[in-house]
Amino acid sequence: MTKSEELFKRAVNVIPGGVNSPVRAYSSVGETPRFIRKASGSRIYDVDGREYIDYIDSWGPMILGHDNEEIREAVTEAVKNGLSFGCATEIEVEIAEYICERIPHIEMIRMVNSGTEAVMSAVRVARGYTGKNKIIKFAGCYHGHSDALLVSAGSGVMTSGVPDSSGVPKGCTEDTMIAIYNDLESVKKLFDECKDEVAAVIVEPIAANMGVVPPAKGFLEGLRKLCDENRALLIFDEVITGFRFGFTGAAGYFGVVPDLVTYGKIIGAGMPVGAYGGRKEIMELVSPVGKVYQAGTLSGNPIAMTAGLTQLKILYEHPEIYDNIYRMGEKLYGGIKKILEENGAPCKINSIGSLGCVFFTENEVKDYMSAKTADTEAFGKYFKYMLNSGIHMAPSQFEAMFLSNAHTDEDIERTLETIRKYFSGN
Ligand SMILES: *Cc1c(COP(=O)(O)O)cnc(C)c1O
């Protein structure tokens, strides 16, 4: 038995499923999770001493690669002053100013501890601001595990969402309506059916939790228009896309201005951080200035803020990092596309910038329904082959590959060669 297998055996006795977040269990690909000991640059190492090229990158935060020296040093310095004070600190002002001065649509920002918290709070603010209750989300978009957003994606447009999880009362999702990604008509229909009841539309501006599904031309602009016409707020959940599609995220990348934005992942550089922000007039509704209550004992934690601010500064001061990860994205995902075509593989690849994903289906994937046509068993086989060849990818058909600035051309070439071997059978 490997050390990972031993650890997993112990883990399942004391942690549900042996993991602290479900996708880590590798159950959808019929594998035992690899327990990780350390990571550096583009590489991650398991407890059995195996080395992998890592395309999970902690699900996005490690956009500079693992164990970035500057961030490590800043954090090590910060630790010397204590881990947490539960009081206001200078670094919280610094990171908020840093973001607000550089992202035009963020005039005020509040730090929390996860993407889930950020989204839950942003939705509360949108409801407080508009005085309306209903929200529109899209099938296949993930916004964390808060009750109101854990809604079954279903097969189409729904005016009243069905809880996706046991333990979520129906009442919690009654005001969550489900539209179809990349389908403005489905959104319009919900607005028409619930006139003057919709507080907000929440969307992943680039969907990356049903595999990668970029927005169709005009989709985000259309949402902006529908929200304006119906006096609803537009919330961009940029937990993955924030600071990945340039410093200003998908909003800047596509030039569509949301009312509220949620962040996570990259903003904490690997520490547990989330944030939500937007126009001052909206954000001033948050307690203690306003009547929308939201709090957090460890929010704005000085170590987490140090890690986050150091990473944000590197990204802002080195825009060539974005050029590099886009270039590598073209090389990797373009290379995969070519391999799939050359071998007549029954697969499609979706990609944008540094995010990409191979779908095991011959259908174009543009929404949740088409994503669901993927053959997850076939994905599982591919995943296992890649893992055993030293390529560490998300253990699910419906997750993205994340490129970091630490990936090298050699990493990508080796990855492509492995993929070529898999699909060509030699
Ligand atoms: C990861 C993710 C979340 C949830 O963030 P957590 O930090 O896991 O709570 C929310 N929205 C999107 C788009 C995400 O990718």
Side-chain angles (χ1 to χ4, degrees):
M1 212 190 306
T2 64
K3 192 137 190 249
S4 278
E5 285 164 342
E6 268 171 49
L7 282 170
F8 192 55
K9 237 178 110 192
R10 278 168 58 195
V12 291
N13 277 323
V14 284
I15 307 171
V19 290
N20 282 313
S21 196
V23 74
R24 289 180 210 165
Y26 282 38
S27 44
S28 75
V29 289
E31 266 281 338
T32 316
R34 302 292 154 91
F35 283 68
I36 301 303
R37 188 168 55 85
K38 63 166 190 180
S40 173
S42 64
R43 303 306 167 103
I44 197 161
Y45 303 85
D46 71 13
V47 289
D48 292 291
R50 283 178 293 214
E51 177 183 325
Y52 308 86
I53 302 173
D54 185 28
Y55 291 104
I56 297 183
D57 274 324
S58 195
W59 306 92
M62 318 318 284
I63 189 168
L64 300 174
H66 291 285
D67 193 28
N68 177 276
E69 192 179 339
E70 225 174 295
I71 297 174
R72 179 186 355 108
E73 278 171 10
V75 165
T76 309
E77 265 318 296
V79 162
K80 293 178 186 163
N81 294 322
L83 295 184
S84 175
F85 316 119
C87 298
T89 56
E90 184 171 356
I91 187 94
E92 292 169 88
V93 186
E94 284 180 7
I95 192 168
E97 282 177 347
Y98 200 83
I99 293 169
C100 292
E101 281 164 13
R102 287 163 183 80
I103 305 183
H105 53 280
I106 308 290
E107 294 173 355
M108 269 190 167
I109 189 161
R110 171 60 70 81
M111 293 291 161
V112 293
N113 305 286
S114 68
T116 295
E117 254 188 272
V119 173
M120 184 182 82
S121 309
V123 166
R124 188 177 298 155
V125 172
R127 285 171 165 161
Y129 179 80
T130 57
K132 300 189 260 186
N133 287 334
K134 295 208 178 284
I135 54 171
I136 296 175
K137 83 174 277 292
F138 294 89
C141 282
Y142 178 67
H143 302 293
H145 65 95
S146 70
D147 284 348
L149 292 156
L150 266 193
V151 173
S152 140
S155 57
V157 188
M158 287 192 293
T159 42
S160 185
V162 183
D164 216 2
S165 161
S166 152
V168 176
K170 258 213 313 262
C172 289
T173 58
E174 243 166 41
D175 288 320
T176 308
M177 307 197 285
I178 308 296
I180 298 167
Y181 200 80
N182 278 331
D183 180 348
L184 285 172
E185 271 309 306
S186 74
V187 183
K188 191 167 178 304
K189 190 161 166 251
L190 292 173
F191 268 121
D192 288 346
E193 276 172 30
C194 297
K195 270 251 162 288
D196 299 323
E197 288 183 79
V198 181
V201 173
I202 181 159
V203 66
E204 284 183 75
I206 294 166
N209 284 288
M210 49 174 148
V212 175
V213 182
K217 208 168 182 318
F219 177 58
L220 298 173
E221 291 82 354
L223 292 182
R224 176 71 275 173
K225 190 157 168 279
L226 282 170
C227 284
D228 290 342
E229 288 166 2
N230 291 278
R231 293 188 315 284
L233 298 188
L234 178 60
I235 306 175
F236 275 5
D237 181 349
E238 297 231 38
V239 170
I240 284 182
T241 53
F243 311 105
R244 179 168 287 278
F245 287 84
F247 197 83
T248 53
Y253 190 83
F254 292 112
V256 177
V257 181
D259 299 295
L260 287 169
V261 179
T262 57
Y263 295 110
K265 301 191 170 115
I266 290 177
I267 200 172
M271 298 293 283
V273 181
Y276 62 103
R279 284 206 308 281
K280 199 169 204 156
E281 153 218 15
I282 303 171
M283 289 301 290
E284 275 186 335
L285 284 182
V286 177
S287 56
V289 258
K291 287 185 175 160
V292 175
Y293 191 71
Q294 187 271 309
T297 301
L298 298 177
S299 294
N301 171 275
I303 312 306
M305 293 300 104
T306 301
L309 181 56
T310 308
Q311 171 145 288
L312 295 191
K313 282 185 173 168
I314 295 172
L315 289 171
Y316 186 79
E317 287 164 16
H318 298 278
E320 71 274 13
I321 289 173
Y322 293 113
D323 298 334
N324 187 45
I325 59 174
Y326 294 165
R327 181 189 63 79
M328 284 193 295
E330 265 168 42
K331 178 165 175 162
L332 177 62
Y333 307 124
I336 296 175
K337 186 164 194 279
K338 204 160 150 248
I339 292 166
L340 295 175
E341 283 165 5
E342 278 169 6
N343 292 282
C347 297
K348 282 273 152 49
I349 180 150
N350 274 9
S351 72
I352 176 165
S354 57
L355 299 177
C357 137
V358 177
F359 284 103
F360 283 74
T361 176
E362 295 191 68
N363 299 317
E364 290 297 335
V365 176
K366 56 180 182 26
D367 57 17
Y368 191 54
M369 279 293 273
S370 42
K372 288 294 255 187
T373 63
D375 179 347
T376 53
E377 242 168 73
F379 173 83
K381 263 177 68 184
Y382 164 72
F383 170 84
K384 264 188 222 186
Y385 181 87
M386 297 300 284
L387 186 69
N388 292 321
S389 309
I391 314 284
H392 193 240
M393 299 186 311
S396 160
Q397 166 69 91
F398 305 107
E399 304 285 354
M401 289 176 87
F402 293 93
L403 275 167
S404 80
N405 196 48
H407 284 101
T408 62
D409 284 295
E410 293 75 53
D411 289 337
I412 289 169
E413 281 149 24
R414 212 183 100 193
T415 305
L416 287 172
E417 186 50 28
T418 310
I419 295 176
R420 197 193 59 76
K421 275 194 188 143
Y422 180 78
F423 283 104
S424 68
N426 52 60

